[in-house]
């Protein structure tokens, strides 16, 4: 597998679209700072092919394919393998629930000579070539067929990721052996053994089937063949005899059929003539039609009389005046009497309300006068209170006065100190004031109550007067309405006459409806009688038309009963004549059928003599018998030929089973495959030992024993020790030697499509000293210079990167990583 072009978008650190063009990059390096995304380029190659990456930990790490905050990742790899060019594509998406799944995976075989630069022009997937796989499940098998390596071996031999560089060196012997089997295509011998076993089983199964078929062909001897040929001759003789007798049988049967047909025709005519019978009650149809017509005329006349009476009553009812107007006038008389009584009641209520209203006004006036008097008393109490406070203040000063001393108020000499009165004037004034305030509040409440009562009585009086006015207006209107109206008694008599006329009108209308219904029924009876009469004539015409071939007599169209009587008499005469002819016709039919029976019995004897059942159709049955005998002869001959062919096939299947079983037995022990693996491992270890000796400055050789790898340390007296005892740098040298040897030796040893057309190393160069690093670089240069494989390294060691002609510099900013090709 040799990568040609890698396209990434939304894949881990490569958020934006990035293309790595490996065209003509036979020896390249992926360089850049630690964490810039160098190893991610190799991850993308593995992901495009196998859908996973070593450092993701399997399918559960699929979410790692998405760049931060991205919902989709796309990777497309164009690669060459065994001379063919493929394009592998994988798309990963995050759905609305946050689950990351593979949305698309496919592998296509590109047309020969396809220019991969056209991928930049936006070609559709259909333009990229034949679809080899279209689902993740199909991809697994298709990639294995195209690359020749499963995922685990691909990451051990082609793309050697960080942390797994020494996998092949430290692998278990069985694992390492399986890798070599796949790489060298030695599985073909196991496949040959399996196919030889299958071929032997198939041949033995065919042999068993042929034996069963031959067992079923035991009855194909010469005696059976002679018996079958004799049966064919007998059937042919029968066919000749039947061919002579059948025309005679057909002539006899034709004569019998003709005689029977004439007899049947005569019987049919007798049946038709005997069936001529007049319908029941045909004589009463005309009388019934006349009676129905008379009843219909009488019903029509009765309807006319009833309609005339109805129309007369309608005129009388219209002349009696408008009933609704009479009812309105009578109602107006009643309303006036009612309103007159209501008006007297309202006038009395108005008088009472007026008296109560006047009394309320008088009481209100008295309450207001009393309130004014109480208010004056309250004002006097306030003034008395002020005077009492001045008196008490003066009394209070007397306690401090001294006769002969100056007054503290007026500063005059006090000639005599007055006596101090008993009790407080203020207290007496306050008590009088409280009593006056209580009386004032009571007077105010009384005024409010009486004012409210007066207002309510005023509203009552206004409502009563308004109601009285409305009644007077209504009475005036009724007086005007009834000014020219009749008296109530007269109006009642007019309404009674209206009721009488309406009842009479309803009775007349009922009589009209009843008469019309009777007329309708009478017309229906007439129509039914007429239809029955027409049906009788139609039946007569149909019967007569059915006798037209016999020449019936003419009919009297005025009397259907007479017409039926004449036709029936004529039909009976015709039937009597034909009964006389029938006896002779019946005798002729019997004679013809007896002759046909004799010929048919003779043919039956032919079939009985040939050992066959009585025939249904002699010619057909003899043809079938001849065909069956000849078919049995042909089947026997074919079975004889089949038996001969089966005996030849049996010999061929027996030889094939013997050869296939022998080949499978030779390959079943796997000795040949083990010898090939041992030889391949010897070559691989010899080449790796040479490279390791060069890389270690002559210190180490690599050897193997029973599938395990060991190193021979020449700096320690040729001590042999396991490869797991090597230091980190020594392990890198040994792993590199194995990887390079595997890449060198595979092309000459492989028998299958699995070929290491490229090798990419992603580990360890920073642990090497300058001399070892120079040796490694020279080794890689020599490997790339051979031109039969691509060599790539991932490194951040400048000394190594400068010696590699093509460099892909990987840089990463805050948003995305980018790859730029430098060098030649």
């Amino acid at each position: 597998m040799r990568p040609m072009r890698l396209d990434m978008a939304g894949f881990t650190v490569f958020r934006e679209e990035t293309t790595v063009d490996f065209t003509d990059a036979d020896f390249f390096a992926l360089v850049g700072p630690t964490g810039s995304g160098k190893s991610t380029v190799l991850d993308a190659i593995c992901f495009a092919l196998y859908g996973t990456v070593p450092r993701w930990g399997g399918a559960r790490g699929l979410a790692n394919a998405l760049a931060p905050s991205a919902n989709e990742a796309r990777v497309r790899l164009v690669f060459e393998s065994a001379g063919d060019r493929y394009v592998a594509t994988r798309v990963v998406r995050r759905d609305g629930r946050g689950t990351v799944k593979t949305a698309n995976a496919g592998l296509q075989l590109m047309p020969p000579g396809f220019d991969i630069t056209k991928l930049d022009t936006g070609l559709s997937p259909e333009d990229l070539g034949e679809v080899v796989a279209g689902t993740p499940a199909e991809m697994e098998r298709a990639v294995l067929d195209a690359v020749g390596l499963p995922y685990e071996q691909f990451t051990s031999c082609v793309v050697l990721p960080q942390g797994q560089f020494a996998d092949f060196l430290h692998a278990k012997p069985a694992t390492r052996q399986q890798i070599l089997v796949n790489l060298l295509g030695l599985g073909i011998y196991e496949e040959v053994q399996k196919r030889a076993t299958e071929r032997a089983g198939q041949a033995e199964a065919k042999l068993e089937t042929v034996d069963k078929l031959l067992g079923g062909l035991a009855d194909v001897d010469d005696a059976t063949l002679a018996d079958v040929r004799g049966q064919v001759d007998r059937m042919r003789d029968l066919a000749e005899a039947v061919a002579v007798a059948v025309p005679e049988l057909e002539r006899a049967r034709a004569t019998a059929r003709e005689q029977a047909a004439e007899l049947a025709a005569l019987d049919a005519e007798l049946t038709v003539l005997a069936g001529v019978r007049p319908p029941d009650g045909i004589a009463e149809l005309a009388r019934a039609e006349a009676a129905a017509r008379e009843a219909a005329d009488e019903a029509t006349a009765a309807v006319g009389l009833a309609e005339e009476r109805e129309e007369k009553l309608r005129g009388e009812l219209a002349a009696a005046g408008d009933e609704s107007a009479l009812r309105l006038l009578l109602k107006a008389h009643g309303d006036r009497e009612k309103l007159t009584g209501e008006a007297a009641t309202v006038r009395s209520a108005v008088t009472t309300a007026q008296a109560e209203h006047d009394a309320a006004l008088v009481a209100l006036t008295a309450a207001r006068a009393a309130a004014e008097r109480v208010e004056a008393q309250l004002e006097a109490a306030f003034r008395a209170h002020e005077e009492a406070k001045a008196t008490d203040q003066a009394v209070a000063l007397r306690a401090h006065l001294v006769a002969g001393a100056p007054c503290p108020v007026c500063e005059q000499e006090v000639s005599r100190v007055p006596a101090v009165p008993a009790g407080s004037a203020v207290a007496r004034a306050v008590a009088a004031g409280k009593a006056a305030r209580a009386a004032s509040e009571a007077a105010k409440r009384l005024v409010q109550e009486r004012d409210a009562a007066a207002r309510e009585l005023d509203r009552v009086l206004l409502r009563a007067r308004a109601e009285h006015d409305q009644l007077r207006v209504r009475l005036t209107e009724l007086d005007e309405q009834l000014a020219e109206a009749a008296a109530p008694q007269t109006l009642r008599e007019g309404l009674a006459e209206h009721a009488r006329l309406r009842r009479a009108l309803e009775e007349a209308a009922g009589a009209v409806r009843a008469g019309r219904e009777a007329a309708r029924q009478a017309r229906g009876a007439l129509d039914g009688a007429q239809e029955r009469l027409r049906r009788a004539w139609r039946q007569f015409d149909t019967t007569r038309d059915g006798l037209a071939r016999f020449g019936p007599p003419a009919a009297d169209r005025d009397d259907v009963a007479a017409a039926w009587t004449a036709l029936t008499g004529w039909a009976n005469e015709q039937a009597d004549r034909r009964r006389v002819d029938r006896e002779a016709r019946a005798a002729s039919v019997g004679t013809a059928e007896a002759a046909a029976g004799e010929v048919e019995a003779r043919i039956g004897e032919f079939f009985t003599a040939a050992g066959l059942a009585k025939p249904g159709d002699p010619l057909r049955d003899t043809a079938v018998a001849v065909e069956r005998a000849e078919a049995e002869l042909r089947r026997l001959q074919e079975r004889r030929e089949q038996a001969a062919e089966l005996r030849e096939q049996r010999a061929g299947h027996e030889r094939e089973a013997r050869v296939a079983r022998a080949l499978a037995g030779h390959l079943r022990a796997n000795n040949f495959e083990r010898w090939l693996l041992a030889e391949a491992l010897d070559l691989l270890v010899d080449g790796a030992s040479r490279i390791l000796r060069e890389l270690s400055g002559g210190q180490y050789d690599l050897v193997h024993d029973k599938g395990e790898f060991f190193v021979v340390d020449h700096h320690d007296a040729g001590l042999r020790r396991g490869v797991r005892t090597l230091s980190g740098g020594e392990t890198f040298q040994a792993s590199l030697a194995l990887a390079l040897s595997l890449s060198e030796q595979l092309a000459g040893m492989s028998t299958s499509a699995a070929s290491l057309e490229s090798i990419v190393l992603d580990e360890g160069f920073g642990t090497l000293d300058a001399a070892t690093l120079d040796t490694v670089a020279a080794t890689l240069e020599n490997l790339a210079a051979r031109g039969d494989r691509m060599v790539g390294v991932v490194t951040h060691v400048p000394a190594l990167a400068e010696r590699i002609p093509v460099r892909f510099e990987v840089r990463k900013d805050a948003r995305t990583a980018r790859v730029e090709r430098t060098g030649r």
Side-chain angles (χ1 to χ4, degrees), residues 635-708:
R635 188 182 71 83
L636 182 60
Q637 292 172 341
E638 291 172 357
R639 285 164 61 82
R640 288 169 64 87
E641 294 174 358
Q642 182 182 5
E645 293 176 359
L646 288 174
R647 284 190 286 271
E648 293 179 3
Q649 292 177 10
R650 187 184 189 286
H653 294 326
E654 189 174 15
R655 288 192 301 273
E656 183 179 358
R658 187 168 55 253
V659 172
R661 187 63 65 187
L663 177 60
H666 291 314
L667 295 178
R668 184 175 293 113
N670 295 327
N671 292 329
F672 183 63
E673 181 178 310
R674 281 199 295 271
W675 176 79
L676 288 176
L677 283 174
E679 289 295 315
L681 192 59
D682 288 342
L683 291 174
L684 176 64
V685 172
D686 287 345
S689 182
R690 174 179 50 79
I691 297 173
L692 179 60
R693 190 182 310 115
E694 183 178 357
L695 292 176
S696 62
Q699 180 178 358
Y700 294 116
D701 278 339
L702 185 66
V703 297
H704 73 96
D705 185 10
K706 298 179 179 179
E708 295 289 347

Side-chain angles (χ1 to χ4, degrees), residues 12 278 413 420 439:
T12 66
E413 181 179 352
V420 177

Side-chain angles (χ1 to χ4, degrees), residues 449-794:
E449 291 172 358
R450 291 184 176 179
D451 183 60
R455 291 178 184 276
E456 179 61 28
L457 289 171
D458 189 33
R459 287 192 291 272
V460 171
L461 179 60
L462 290 175
R463 286 196 299 271
R465 286 174 177 172
E467 186 177 357
H468 182 263
D469 292 342
Q470 291 176 357
L471 288 173
R472 290 180 61 188
V473 171
R474 178 62 180 151
L475 283 171
T476 302
E477 293 175 351
L478 288 175
D479 289 340
E480 292 175 357
Q481 182 179 354
L482 298 173
E484 298 179 359
Q489 183 59 32
T490 303
L491 294 174
R492 292 188 187 95
E493 292 174 356
L495 288 173
E497 179 63 15
H498 264 281
R500 185 188 68 78
L501 290 173
R502 181 168 287 103
R503 286 194 298 274
L505 180 60
E506 290 176 355
E507 292 174 358
V512 170
R513 289 192 296 272
R516 288 175 178 170
E517 177 62 21
R520 186 187 64 78
Q521 293 179 359
R523 285 195 299 271
L526 176 60
D527 292 341
Q530 291 175 342
E531 176 59 28
R532 287 191 293 275
L533 185 59
R534 286 192 294 271
R535 192 161 52 244
W537 277 113
R538 285 197 297 270
Q539 186 176 359
F540 174 80
D541 292 338
T542 301
T543 303
R544 190 178 184 281
D545 291 342
L547 302 173
R549 63 182 183 277
F550 304 126
D556 181 5
R557 302 302 295 183
D558 295 331
D559 189 349
V560 68
W564 268 107
T565 300
L567 184 63
T568 302
W570 172 83
N572 291 333
E573 293 175 359
Q574 295 293 320
D576 292 340
R577 293 174 186 171
R578 283 167 173 76
R579 289 189 186 97
V580 175
D581 296 338
R582 188 183 186 284
E583 294 179 1
R585 294 286 178 88
S588 299
V589 171
T591 301
E593 289 178 348
E598 292 177 359
V599 178
E600 187 173 359
R602 189 166 65 253
I603 293 176
E605 292 174 358
F606 294 159
F607 274 82
T608 301
L612 299 177
K614 184 178 179 180
D617 183 347
L619 289 177
R620 183 183 65 81
D621 291 348
T622 53
V624 170
V626 171
E627 177 59 29
R628 285 176 179 172
E630 292 177 347
E632 179 63 21
L633 178 60
R634 290 193 299 271
R635 188 182 71 83
L636 182 60
Q637 292 172 341
E638 291 172 357
R639 285 164 61 82
R640 288 169 64 87
E641 294 174 358
Q642 182 182 5
E645 293 176 359
L646 288 174
R647 284 190 286 271
E648 293 179 3
Q649 292 177 10
R650 187 184 189 286
H653 294 326
E654 189 174 15
R655 288 192 301 273
E656 183 179 358
R658 187 168 55 253
V659 172
R661 187 63 65 187
L663 177 60
H666 291 314
L667 295 178
R668 184 175 293 113
N670 295 327
N671 292 329
F672 183 63
E673 181 178 310
R674 281 199 295 271
W675 176 79
L676 288 176
L677 283 174
E679 289 295 315
L681 192 59
D682 288 342
L683 291 174
L684 176 64
V685 172
D686 287 345
S689 182
R690 174 179 50 79
I691 297 173
L692 179 60
R693 190 182 310 115
E694 183 178 357
L695 292 176
S696 62
Q699 180 178 358
Y700 294 116
D701 278 339
L702 185 66
V703 297
H704 73 96
D705 185 10
K706 298 179 179 179
E708 295 289 347
F709 286 157
F710 299 90
V711 293
V712 177
D713 189 351
H714 295 292
H715 290 183
D716 193 6
L719 177 66
R720 190 174 81 165
R721 53 193 176 97
V723 294
R724 293 185 179 275
T725 65
L726 296 175
S727 66
E730 293 168 340
T731 297
F732 172 77
Q733 292 177 350
S735 300
L736 179 61
L738 268 175
L740 296 178
S741 176
L742 186 63
S743 181
E744 287 179 351
Q745 302 295 333
L746 184 63
M749 295 187 297
S750 177
T751 63
S752 69
S755 59
L756 300 183
E757 298 173 270
S758 59
I759 182 171
V760 183
L761 311 176
D762 183 14
E763 183 163 344
F765 298 105
T767 63
L768 303 178
D769 55 41
T772 303
L773 182 63
D774 183 69
T775 302
V776 168
T779 303
L780 294 175
E781 288 171 349
N782 292 335
L783 182 63
R786 294 171 55 178
D788 56 354
R789 64 186 45 79
M790 172 187 286
V791 179
V793 296
V794 177

Side-chain angles (χ1 to χ4, degrees), residues 198-214:
E198 292 175 0
R199 185 71 62 83
Q202 293 171 358
E204 289 169 354
K206 292 178 181 179
L207 185 62
E208 182 178 355
T209 301
V210 169
D211 286 341
K212 290 181 179 179
L213 293 175
L214 285 173

